[in-house]
Amino acid sequence: MSKVAPVASEEEFNTATSSLPPTALQILYFHAPWAAPCAHMSTVLETLASQYPATTPPATAFISINAEELPDVSEAFDVTAVPFIVLRRGKDTLDTISGGDAARVRTAVEKHAGAAPSAAAAKLPPAQTVTRPAEQAAPAPAPAPALAATPSTTNGTPAAPAPSKEELHKRLEELTNAAPCMLFMKGTPSAPQCGFSRQLVAILREHGVRYGFFNILADDDVRQGLKEYADWPTFPQLWLGGELCGGLDIVREEVENDPGFFAEFSVKQKLGAPVAAVQQAAPTVA
Ligand SMILES: N[C@@H](CCC(=O)N[C@@H](CS)C(=O)NCC(=O)O)C(=O)O
């Protein structure tokens, strides 16, 4: 049975990928141990990998890379956030998926590797196990960028009961503390859905900031709840150390007043240092 193979060093990564035939679909999974959405994505990929049994020569290779531990590899693939998945053949990148969108990952793998062999698929949990919202699969509150679909937006599915204020606040507290620098934005860093969010991502990128993010468009509870919790009516919102820093204008002002404002969150300062709870962001991403 195929599975997601971890690589521990850049050398291991190069060996693992260069030993594959150019026809093999490489599924490179960048993750960080502290990032809650990665726990869900790991399960998704393990499930998916098990649908593609090992063949000779290999037709697929699922490779898992700790983005923090292999910064050069992460940077080479423009990893701006985790989870981040790259599909490639040889050195040709076919697709990249940023965030925890299991459905997109599955669709992309099937597109490039063909549908999973049915014998293996029959042993698997139903597809919705892979594609359902992160909250259902992993009850722990988590920054689940693209998976945290709002139940009320699901076709024909009755909306889940709204969380109590206390539950929501507990979740928001955990989300705002999910990484030392947390960005609540519209869309994802690789596909912002609003100009303000896009500009804030650009500032973070310019300063090489490592950050976690949450796509508030995917979760209306968080979108509306955070406005009240933060006493801040708009997005993007940048949270530092669990405290609201502000929106785009404030962040811009802070950086103008102090060019070293983001020093403690910067990958430029911290490369090589153990980083417990920050999200990979490559400063060179276009
Ligand atoms: N000047 C604001 C701009 C942000 C803004 O006005 N955001 C609006 C439009 S994208 C917003 O989030 N509205 C509330 C909502 O969409 O829920 C900043 O500094 O961040």
Side-chain angles (χ1 to χ4, degrees), residues 186-232:
K186 293 187 176 181
T188 62
S190 57
Q193 301 291 311
C194 127
F196 301 119
S197 290
R198 185 186 305 279
Q199 289 175 64
L200 192 36
V201 165
I203 292 175
L204 297 177
R205 208 165 265 170
E206 188 190 327
H207 289 82
V209 176
R210 296 174 160 202
Y211 60 100
F213 71 92
F214 190 98
N215 176 8
I216 53 100
L217 295 180
D219 191 317
D220 208 50
D221 288 340
V222 173
R223 179 177 183 172
Q224 304 310 337
L226 202 51
K227 290 177 187 173
E228 191 224 315
Y229 181 80
D231 196 14
W232 192 267

Short mmCIF file of all heavy atoms in Angstrom, two decimals, residues 186-232:
data_model
loop_
_atom_site.label_atom_id
_atom_site.label_comp_id
_atom_site.label_asym_id
_atom_site.label_seq_id
_atom_site.Cartn_x
_atom_site.Cartn_y
_atom_site.Cartn_z
N LYS A 186 -9.70 37.48 3.62
CA LYS A 186 -10.66 36.98 2.64
C LYS A 186 -9.86 36.24 1.57
O LYS A 186 -9.04 36.85 0.88
CB LYS A 186 -11.45 38.14 2.03
CG LYS A 186 -12.36 38.80 3.06
CD LYS A 186 -13.28 39.82 2.42
CE LYS A 186 -14.24 40.40 3.48
NZ LYS A 186 -15.18 41.38 2.94
N GLY A 187 -10.11 34.94 1.48
CA GLY A 187 -9.34 34.12 0.56
C GLY A 187 -8.12 33.54 1.24
O GLY A 187 -8.04 33.50 2.49
N THR A 188 -7.18 33.13 0.44
CA THR A 188 -5.95 32.53 0.97
C THR A 188 -4.77 33.36 0.47
O THR A 188 -4.91 34.12 -0.50
CB THR A 188 -5.80 31.08 0.47
OG1 THR A 188 -5.69 31.10 -0.96
CG2 THR A 188 -6.98 30.22 0.87
N PRO A 189 -3.60 33.20 1.09
CA PRO A 189 -2.46 34.00 0.64
C PRO A 189 -2.17 33.83 -0.85
O PRO A 189 -1.79 34.79 -1.52
CB PRO A 189 -1.30 33.47 1.49
CG PRO A 189 -1.96 33.02 2.75
CD PRO A 189 -3.27 32.42 2.31
N SER A 190 -2.39 32.64 -1.38
CA SER A 190 -2.09 32.47 -2.81
C SER A 190 -3.26 32.91 -3.68
O SER A 190 -3.10 33.09 -4.88
CB SER A 190 -1.72 31.02 -3.11
OG SER A 190 -2.75 30.18 -2.70
N ALA A 191 -4.42 33.09 -3.09
CA ALA A 191 -5.57 33.56 -3.87
C ALA A 191 -6.45 34.47 -3.01
O ALA A 191 -7.57 34.12 -2.62
CB ALA A 191 -6.39 32.37 -4.37
N PRO A 192 -5.94 35.66 -2.69
CA PRO A 192 -6.75 36.59 -1.88
C PRO A 192 -8.01 36.99 -2.63
O PRO A 192 -7.98 37.16 -3.85
CB PRO A 192 -5.81 37.80 -1.69
CG PRO A 192 -4.45 37.34 -2.07
CD PRO A 192 -4.64 36.23 -3.06
N GLN A 193 -9.10 37.16 -1.89
CA GLN A 193 -10.38 37.49 -2.52
C GLN A 193 -10.76 38.95 -2.32
O GLN A 193 -11.91 39.32 -2.52
CB GLN A 193 -11.49 36.59 -1.95
CG GLN A 193 -11.25 35.10 -2.13
CD GLN A 193 -11.37 34.70 -3.58
OE1 GLN A 193 -12.31 35.04 -4.25
NE2 GLN A 193 -10.36 33.98 -4.08
N CYS A 194 -9.84 39.73 -1.84
CA CYS A 194 -10.13 41.16 -1.67
C CYS A 194 -8.81 41.92 -1.68
O CYS A 194 -7.77 41.39 -1.27
CB CYS A 194 -10.94 41.37 -0.39
SG CYS A 194 -10.32 42.57 0.76
N GLY A 195 -8.89 43.14 -2.19
CA GLY A 195 -7.67 43.93 -2.35
C GLY A 195 -6.96 44.23 -1.04
O GLY A 195 -5.74 44.24 -0.97
N PHE A 196 -7.76 44.45 0.03
CA PHE A 196 -7.14 44.77 1.32
C PHE A 196 -6.34 43.57 1.83
O PHE A 196 -5.22 43.70 2.32
CB PHE A 196 -8.21 45.16 2.36
CG PHE A 196 -9.04 46.35 1.94
CD1 PHE A 196 -10.41 46.23 1.77
CD2 PHE A 196 -8.44 47.58 1.73
CE1 PHE A 196 -11.19 47.33 1.40
CE2 PHE A 196 -9.20 48.69 1.35
CZ PHE A 196 -10.58 48.55 1.18
N SER A 197 -6.96 42.39 1.72
CA SER A 197 -6.25 41.18 2.16
C SER A 197 -5.01 40.96 1.29
O SER A 197 -3.94 40.61 1.79
CB SER A 197 -7.17 39.95 2.06
OG SER A 197 -8.19 40.02 3.03
N ARG A 198 -5.17 41.19 0.00
CA ARG A 198 -4.03 41.01 -0.91
C ARG A 198 -2.85 41.91 -0.50
O ARG A 198 -1.71 41.49 -0.46
CB ARG A 198 -4.46 41.36 -2.34
CG ARG A 198 -3.40 41.09 -3.40
CD ARG A 198 -3.85 41.61 -4.75
NE ARG A 198 -5.15 41.06 -5.15
CZ ARG A 198 -5.31 39.87 -5.70
NH1 ARG A 198 -4.27 39.11 -5.95
NH2 ARG A 198 -6.52 39.44 -6.00
N GLN A 199 -3.19 43.16 -0.15
CA GLN A 199 -2.12 44.10 0.21
C GLN A 199 -1.44 43.72 1.52
O GLN A 199 -0.24 43.86 1.68
CB GLN A 199 -2.69 45.51 0.31
CG GLN A 199 -3.08 46.08 -1.05
CD GLN A 199 -3.76 47.42 -0.92
OE1 GLN A 199 -3.16 48.39 -0.46
NE2 GLN A 199 -5.03 47.50 -1.29
N LEU A 200 -2.25 43.19 2.45
CA LEU A 200 -1.64 42.80 3.73
C LEU A 200 -0.74 41.58 3.54
O LEU A 200 0.36 41.49 4.12
CB LEU A 200 -2.73 42.56 4.79
CG LEU A 200 -2.26 42.41 6.24
CD1 LEU A 200 -1.08 43.31 6.57
CD2 LEU A 200 -3.39 42.71 7.19
N VAL A 201 -1.18 40.65 2.72
CA VAL A 201 -0.33 39.48 2.40
C VAL A 201 0.98 39.97 1.80
O VAL A 201 2.07 39.49 2.15
CB VAL A 201 -1.06 38.52 1.43
CG1 VAL A 201 -0.09 37.53 0.81
CG2 VAL A 201 -2.18 37.78 2.15
N ALA A 202 0.89 40.98 0.92
CA ALA A 202 2.10 41.49 0.27
C ALA A 202 3.06 42.10 1.29
O ALA A 202 4.28 41.90 1.21
CB ALA A 202 1.72 42.52 -0.80
N ILE A 203 2.50 42.80 2.28
CA ILE A 203 3.36 43.39 3.33
C ILE A 203 4.06 42.28 4.12
O ILE A 203 5.26 42.33 4.37
CB ILE A 203 2.53 44.29 4.27
CG1 ILE A 203 2.05 45.53 3.52
CG2 ILE A 203 3.34 44.69 5.50
CD1 ILE A 203 1.11 46.43 4.32
N LEU A 204 3.28 41.26 4.49
CA LEU A 204 3.87 40.17 5.28
C LEU A 204 4.96 39.47 4.47
O LEU A 204 6.01 39.11 4.99
CB LEU A 204 2.78 39.17 5.69
CG LEU A 204 1.68 39.73 6.61
CD1 LEU A 204 0.61 38.68 6.89
CD2 LEU A 204 2.28 40.22 7.93
N ARG A 205 4.68 39.30 3.21
CA ARG A 205 5.63 38.64 2.32
C ARG A 205 6.92 39.47 2.20
O ARG A 205 8.02 38.96 2.31
CB ARG A 205 4.96 38.50 0.95
CG ARG A 205 5.46 37.34 0.16
CD ARG A 205 4.52 37.07 -0.99
NE ARG A 205 3.55 36.05 -0.65
CZ ARG A 205 2.49 35.75 -1.40
NH1 ARG A 205 2.25 36.42 -2.50
NH2 ARG A 205 1.67 34.79 -1.04
N GLU A 206 6.70 40.76 2.01
CA GLU A 206 7.84 41.67 1.86
C GLU A 206 8.76 41.62 3.08
O GLU A 206 9.97 41.72 2.97
CB GLU A 206 7.29 43.10 1.67
CG GLU A 206 8.30 44.14 1.31
CD GLU A 206 7.66 45.53 1.40
OE1 GLU A 206 6.44 45.66 1.13
OE2 GLU A 206 8.38 46.46 1.77
N HIS A 207 8.14 41.43 4.25
CA HIS A 207 8.93 41.40 5.48
C HIS A 207 9.30 39.99 5.90
O HIS A 207 9.81 39.78 7.00
CB HIS A 207 8.18 42.12 6.62
CG HIS A 207 8.14 43.61 6.41
ND1 HIS A 207 7.22 44.21 5.58
CD2 HIS A 207 8.94 44.59 6.87
CE1 HIS A 207 7.44 45.51 5.57
NE2 HIS A 207 8.47 45.77 6.34
N GLY A 208 9.03 39.04 5.03
CA GLY A 208 9.42 37.65 5.32
C GLY A 208 8.74 37.10 6.56
O GLY A 208 9.31 36.27 7.28
N VAL A 209 7.52 37.55 6.82
CA VAL A 209 6.84 37.14 8.05
C VAL A 209 6.27 35.73 7.89
O VAL A 209 5.70 35.39 6.86
CB VAL A 209 5.68 38.12 8.38
CG1 VAL A 209 4.91 37.65 9.60
CG2 VAL A 209 6.24 39.51 8.59
N ARG A 210 6.45 34.95 8.93
CA ARG A 210 5.81 33.64 8.98
C ARG A 210 4.48 33.81 9.69
O ARG A 210 4.43 34.39 10.77
CB ARG A 210 6.68 32.67 9.78
CG ARG A 210 8.00 32.41 9.11
CD ARG A 210 8.86 31.57 10.02
NE ARG A 210 9.90 30.93 9.26
CZ ARG A 210 10.53 29.86 9.65
NH1 ARG A 210 10.24 29.28 10.80
NH2 ARG A 210 11.47 29.33 8.91
N TYR A 211 3.46 33.27 9.10
CA TYR A 211 2.15 33.52 9.70
C TYR A 211 1.18 32.38 9.41
O TYR A 211 1.32 31.64 8.45
CB TYR A 211 1.57 34.84 9.17
CG TYR A 211 1.36 34.88 7.67
CD1 TYR A 211 0.11 34.67 7.11
CD2 TYR A 211 2.42 35.13 6.81
CE1 TYR A 211 -0.08 34.71 5.74
CE2 TYR A 211 2.25 35.17 5.45
CZ TYR A 211 1.00 34.96 4.91
OH TYR A 211 0.81 34.98 3.56
N GLY A 212 0.21 32.30 10.30
CA GLY A 212 -0.91 31.42 10.05
C GLY A 212 -2.03 32.24 9.44
O GLY A 212 -2.05 33.46 9.61
N PHE A 213 -2.92 31.58 8.73
CA PHE A 213 -4.02 32.38 8.19
C PHE A 213 -5.33 31.61 8.29
O PHE A 213 -5.36 30.39 8.44
CB PHE A 213 -3.75 32.76 6.73
CG PHE A 213 -3.84 31.62 5.77
CD1 PHE A 213 -5.04 31.32 5.13
CD2 PHE A 213 -2.75 30.83 5.50
CE1 PHE A 213 -5.13 30.25 4.25
CE2 PHE A 213 -2.82 29.76 4.62
CZ PHE A 213 -4.01 29.48 3.99
N PHE A 214 -6.40 32.36 8.22
CA PHE A 214 -7.74 31.76 8.23
C PHE A 214 -8.57 32.50 7.20
O PHE A 214 -8.64 33.73 7.22
CB PHE A 214 -8.37 31.90 9.62
CG PHE A 214 -9.64 31.11 9.77
CD1 PHE A 214 -9.63 29.87 10.39
CD2 PHE A 214 -10.85 31.60 9.28
CE1 PHE A 214 -10.80 29.13 10.50
CE2 PHE A 214 -12.02 30.87 9.40
CZ PHE A 214 -12.00 29.63 10.02
N ASN A 215 -9.18 31.73 6.32
CA ASN A 215 -10.04 32.33 5.29
C ASN A 215 -11.44 32.52 5.86
O ASN A 215 -12.22 31.58 5.96
CB ASN A 215 -10.08 31.40 4.07
CG ASN A 215 -11.03 31.90 3.00
OD1 ASN A 215 -11.57 33.01 3.10
ND2 ASN A 215 -11.25 31.08 1.99
N ILE A 216 -11.77 33.76 6.22
CA ILE A 216 -13.05 34.02 6.88
C ILE A 216 -14.24 33.85 5.92
O ILE A 216 -15.38 33.70 6.36
CB ILE A 216 -13.09 35.40 7.58
CG1 ILE A 216 -12.71 36.52 6.62
CG2 ILE A 216 -12.18 35.43 8.79
CD1 ILE A 216 -13.84 37.28 6.04
N LEU A 217 -13.97 33.85 4.62
CA LEU A 217 -15.06 33.64 3.67
C LEU A 217 -15.60 32.21 3.76
O LEU A 217 -16.70 31.92 3.31
CB LEU A 217 -14.59 33.92 2.24
CG LEU A 217 -14.20 35.36 1.95
CD1 LEU A 217 -13.74 35.50 0.51
CD2 LEU A 217 -15.34 36.31 2.23
N ALA A 218 -14.79 31.32 4.32
CA ALA A 218 -15.21 29.92 4.40
C ALA A 218 -15.96 29.62 5.68
O ALA A 218 -16.40 28.49 5.89
CB ALA A 218 -13.98 29.02 4.30
N ASP A 219 -16.10 30.60 6.55
CA ASP A 219 -16.75 30.31 7.83
C ASP A 219 -17.41 31.58 8.36
O ASP A 219 -16.74 32.47 8.91
CB ASP A 219 -15.70 29.80 8.82
CG ASP A 219 -16.34 29.22 10.07
OD1 ASP A 219 -17.29 29.84 10.58
OD2 ASP A 219 -15.89 28.16 10.53
N ASP A 220 -18.72 31.65 8.20
CA ASP A 220 -19.43 32.87 8.57
C ASP A 220 -19.48 33.09 10.08
O ASP A 220 -19.56 34.22 10.54
CB ASP A 220 -20.84 32.87 7.97
CG ASP A 220 -21.32 34.29 7.73
OD1 ASP A 220 -20.56 35.07 7.12
OD2 ASP A 220 -22.43 34.63 8.18
N ASP A 221 -19.44 31.98 10.85
CA ASP A 221 -19.41 32.14 12.31
C ASP A 221 -18.17 32.92 12.72
O ASP A 221 -18.22 33.84 13.55
CB ASP A 221 -19.38 30.77 13.01
CG ASP A 221 -20.71 30.04 12.92
OD1 ASP A 221 -21.72 30.72 12.66
OD2 ASP A 221 -20.73 28.81 13.09
N VAL A 222 -17.04 32.53 12.12
CA VAL A 222 -15.79 33.22 12.45
C VAL A 222 -15.83 34.64 11.90
O VAL A 222 -15.45 35.60 12.58
CB VAL A 222 -14.57 32.43 11.90
CG1 VAL A 222 -13.29 33.23 12.10
CG2 VAL A 222 -14.47 31.07 12.59
N ARG A 223 -16.33 34.78 10.69
CA ARG A 223 -16.37 36.11 10.06
C ARG A 223 -17.15 37.10 10.92
O ARG A 223 -16.67 38.20 11.22
CB ARG A 223 -17.01 36.00 8.68
CG ARG A 223 -17.10 37.32 7.95
CD ARG A 223 -17.67 37.13 6.57
NE ARG A 223 -17.71 38.37 5.81
CZ ARG A 223 -18.02 38.43 4.52
NH1 ARG A 223 -18.30 37.32 3.86
NH2 ARG A 223 -18.04 39.58 3.89
N GLN A 224 -18.35 36.72 11.31
CA GLN A 224 -19.17 37.65 12.09
C GLN A 224 -18.71 37.70 13.54
O GLN A 224 -18.68 38.77 14.16
CB GLN A 224 -20.66 37.26 12.00
CG GLN A 224 -21.20 37.18 10.56
CD GLN A 224 -20.89 38.42 9.71
OE1 GLN A 224 -20.64 39.52 10.23
NE2 GLN A 224 -20.88 38.25 8.40
N GLY A 225 -18.36 36.52 14.08
CA GLY A 225 -17.99 36.44 15.50
C GLY A 225 -16.74 37.26 15.81
O GLY A 225 -16.65 37.91 16.86
N LEU A 226 -15.79 37.22 14.89
CA LEU A 226 -14.53 37.90 15.16
C LEU A 226 -14.70 39.42 15.19
O LEU A 226 -13.98 40.13 15.90
CB LEU A 226 -13.49 37.49 14.11
CG LEU A 226 -12.01 37.65 14.47
CD1 LEU A 226 -11.68 37.00 15.81
CD2 LEU A 226 -11.13 37.08 13.37
N LYS A 227 -15.67 39.90 14.43
CA LYS A 227 -15.91 41.35 14.44
C LYS A 227 -16.26 41.81 15.86
O LYS A 227 -15.76 42.83 16.35
CB LYS A 227 -17.06 41.71 13.49
CG LYS A 227 -16.70 41.53 12.03
CD LYS A 227 -17.90 41.84 11.15
CE LYS A 227 -17.61 41.50 9.70
NZ LYS A 227 -18.80 41.63 8.84
N GLU A 228 -17.12 41.04 16.50
CA GLU A 228 -17.54 41.41 17.85
C GLU A 228 -16.43 41.10 18.86
O GLU A 228 -16.11 41.93 19.71
CB GLU A 228 -18.81 40.62 18.20
CG GLU A 228 -19.48 41.11 19.46
CD GLU A 228 -19.92 39.99 20.36
OE1 GLU A 228 -20.50 38.98 19.88
OE2 GLU A 228 -19.67 40.10 21.58
N TYR A 229 -15.84 39.91 18.73
CA TYR A 229 -14.79 39.48 19.67
C TYR A 229 -13.62 40.46 19.66
O TYR A 229 -13.05 40.79 20.69
CB TYR A 229 -14.33 38.08 19.24
CG TYR A 229 -13.27 37.44 20.08
CD1 TYR A 229 -13.59 36.82 21.29
CD2 TYR A 229 -11.96 37.40 19.65
CE1 TYR A 229 -12.62 36.21 22.05
CE2 TYR A 229 -10.97 36.78 20.40
CZ TYR A 229 -11.31 36.20 21.60
OH TYR A 229 -10.34 35.57 22.35
N ALA A 230 -13.28 40.93 18.45
CA ALA A 230 -12.14 41.84 18.30
C ALA A 230 -12.54 43.30 18.47
O ALA A 230 -11.69 44.16 18.58
CB ALA A 230 -11.52 41.65 16.92
N ASP A 231 -13.86 43.52 18.43
CA ASP A 231 -14.36 44.89 18.37
C ASP A 231 -13.72 45.61 17.17
O ASP A 231 -13.19 46.72 17.29
CB ASP A 231 -14.06 45.62 19.69
CG ASP A 231 -14.91 46.89 19.82
OD1 ASP A 231 -15.86 47.03 19.03
OD2 ASP A 231 -14.58 47.73 20.69
N TRP A 232 -13.72 44.91 16.05
CA TRP A 232 -13.10 45.43 14.82
C TRP A 232 -13.98 44.97 13.65
O TRP A 232 -14.16 43.77 13.46
CB TRP A 232 -11.68 44.87 14.68
CG TRP A 232 -10.86 45.57 13.64
CD1 TRP A 232 -10.72 45.21 12.35
CD2 TRP A 232 -10.07 46.74 13.81
NE1 TRP A 232 -9.89 46.07 11.69
CE2 TRP A 232 -9.47 47.03 12.57
CE3 TRP A 232 -9.81 47.58 14.90
CZ2 TRP A 232 -8.62 48.13 12.39
CZ3 TRP A 232 -8.96 48.66 14.70
CH2 TRP A 232 -8.38 48.92 13.46
#
